[in-house]
Every structure is written in structure tokens, then in C-alpha cells.
Amino acid sequence: MNIEFIKFIATIFLGIFTGYKYIERELNKKASKIEVQKNIESILKEVDKKVDKILYDREVEFLRNSMETNSKNLSSKLEEMREDMKIIKEYLLKKD
């Protein structure tokens, strides 16, 4: 009877230990998944920042090129107006 009681107590302790190890393993899996999700979110935030930086740089470059093009067009138009004004001036001088 003493041996069976000891076996019974040992079985209970073994069951508790096994259950504890199972719960610990499951909690570690869940913690690992949460850690992976946090890492992925962190990586995605960094990627978003880099993409935003690239888009910002490209937008600035586009605006700079656009300003240069507009400046050249404006300069060209002013030069045309200057030539037109010369022609008008010559015409007016000849008319008098």
C-alpha cells in the first residue's frame, strides 16, 4: 500500500510537471509569435520611412526640374517678347 501511494503521488507530480512544461512551451510559442509580429511591424515602419524618404526626394527632384523647365520657358518667352518689342520699336520709328 505504501508503494502504490508513492506511485500515485509520483504520477500526480509527473502530471503537474508535464502540464507545467506544456503550458510553458505554449506560452513561449505565443511570446515568440508576438515578438516576431513586433519585429515585422518595426521592419514595416522602417520600410515606410525609407519609402516616404524616397518619394519625398523624387518629388523634390520633380519640382526642381519643373522649376528649371518653367524658368527656361519663361526666359524664352521673355526673349521672344524682347524681339517683338524691337520690331515694334523699329516700325514705330520708321513710321514717324
Side-chain angles (χ1 to χ4, degrees):
M1 182 155 142
N2 239 354
I3 293 176
E4 288 192 23
F5 181 71
I6 292 172
K7 283 183 180 178
F8 177 70
I9 297 296
T11 305
I12 289 174
F13 280 127
L14 185 61
I16 291 171
F17 181 73
T18 305
Y20 170 77
K21 284 297 184 180
Y22 173 77
I23 290 171
E24 182 182 38
R25 189 172 46 241
E26 289 300 314
L27 288 175
N28 285 339
K29 282 182 186 177
K30 185 153 187 118
S32 176
K33 286 180 183 177
I34 290 171
E35 187 66 29
V36 167
Q37 286 176 336
K38 286 181 181 177
N39 287 341
I40 289 173
E41 288 174 4
S42 174
I43 290 169
L44 288 176
K45 285 180 184 177
E46 288 299 316
V47 168
D48 281 344
K49 286 179 185 177
K50 291 184 185 214
V51 167
D52 287 345
K53 174 76 170 120
I54 290 169
L55 290 176
Y56 174 78
D57 289 344
R58 288 194 177 180
E59 186 173 353
V60 166
E61 182 181 338
F62 171 78
L63 291 173
R64 188 174 291 132
N65 290 340
S66 194
M67 286 173 49
E68 286 177 16
T69 302
N70 288 341
S71 286
K72 288 177 184 176
N73 287 342
L74 183 59
S75 176
S76 174
K77 293 290 182 187
L78 286 172
E79 192 61 38
E80 287 177 16
M81 285 178 64
R82 182 176 292 139
E83 293 299 318
D84 290 344
M85 293 302 285
K86 282 181 184 178
I87 293 172
I88 291 172
K89 181 181 174 184
E90 288 175 7
Y91 176 76
L92 289 175
L93 288 174
K94 285 183 182 178
K95 191 175 184 185
D96 286 341

